[in-house]
Amino acid sequence: CRHLMVSLSAVSTVVQCCFFFFLKIRRPPRSTLFPYTTLFRSSRLEDQEVGGNKTYVIEIKPKIAGTPYGKVLIYIHKKHRVVLKMEFFDGALKPLKTLKVKKLKKIEGKMMPVSVEMKNLQRGSKTQLEVQQIEPKAHLTEDDLTEDAMKA
């Protein structure tokens, strides 16, 4: 089990952007508008509860070959519109990883994840993200979200 201590902004950025990065896509040419809908298709599944909370469930499947995940299920809190859980499946559609928000906290009027756990179901490992310091207006760059930056 690895524990990473990061700012609130990093946690919310990771959770909110995970479904784009799960495809590990190449950056589109700067000269064109690049529609993400050409890379994956999404559909809304039947609503479910996660930890007693009513959620919308979105299924995302890649349209391109060579992606690390065959599909991702995203569970979004109905009232607060924040991701509570994500399930990642491998290319054979076997469960691979789960991301669960363990704790939400109201920050500047919005519910934000302050404790997140990612489990690799096939390896048996997990990573726990805990917020130590809250900087809601922090400006993060791509360099701030590298593994080396999070170790510092």
Side-chain angles (χ1 to χ4, degrees):
C1 177
R2 294 185 298 159
H3 291 272
L4 300 174
M5 300 302 180
V6 296
S7 74
L8 174 65
S9 296
V11 172
S12 63
T13 300
V14 169
V15 172
Q16 292 172 6
C17 295
C18 255
F19 72 96
F20 282 111
F21 292 111
F22 86 89
L23 291 173
K24 294 186 179 178
I25 58 175
R26 290 184 187 91
R27 186 176 293 221
R30 292 181 190 262
S31 61
T32 62
L33 293 175
F34 187 70
Y36 284 104
T37 56
T38 62
L39 298 176
F40 62 83
R41 66 180 170 274
S42 61
S43 56
R44 183 162 171 215
L45 304 181
E46 186 176 329
D47 296 350
Q48 293 187 27
E49 285 196 10
V50 172
N53 297 294
K54 295 179 181 179
T55 66
Y56 300 109
V57 182
I58 307 297
E59 178 183 67
I60 297 177
K61 290 184 176 180
K63 288 184 177 180
I64 57 176
T67 62
Y69 304 113
K71 75 174 179 179
V72 175
L73 298 178
I74 304 172
Y75 300 79
I76 302 167
H77 194 290
K78 282 188 169 188
K79 181 179 177 184
H80 300 298
R81 307 285 199 261
V82 63
V83 172
L84 292 181
K85 180 180 171 183
M86 295 177 73
E87 297 176 328
F88 300 83
F89 296 81
D90 65 17
L93 301 181
K94 294 179 183 172
L96 178 61
K97 298 177 184 178
T98 59
L99 179 142
K100 289 184 182 178
V101 173
K102 300 297 224 174
K103 184 177 178 185
L104 292 171
K105 184 176 181 180
K106 194 173 225 177
I107 309 291
E108 294 189 356
K110 291 184 180 181
M111 295 302 284
M112 302 291 288
V114 294
S115 178
V116 179
E117 180 179 77
M118 177 71 91
K119 285 186 181 179
N120 186 315
L121 303 172
Q122 293 180 2
R123 291 186 190 162
S125 61
K126 67 180 178 178
T127 300
Q128 182 74 30
L129 295 164
E130 298 285 339
V131 174
Q132 257 188 343
Q133 181 180 350
I134 298 172
E135 297 177 34
K137 297 187 189 303
H139 176 73
L140 296 176
T141 66
E142 288 183 26
D143 292 337
D144 294 321
L145 298 176
T146 65
E147 190 173 338
D148 287 339
M150 291 194 185
K151 286 179 182 178

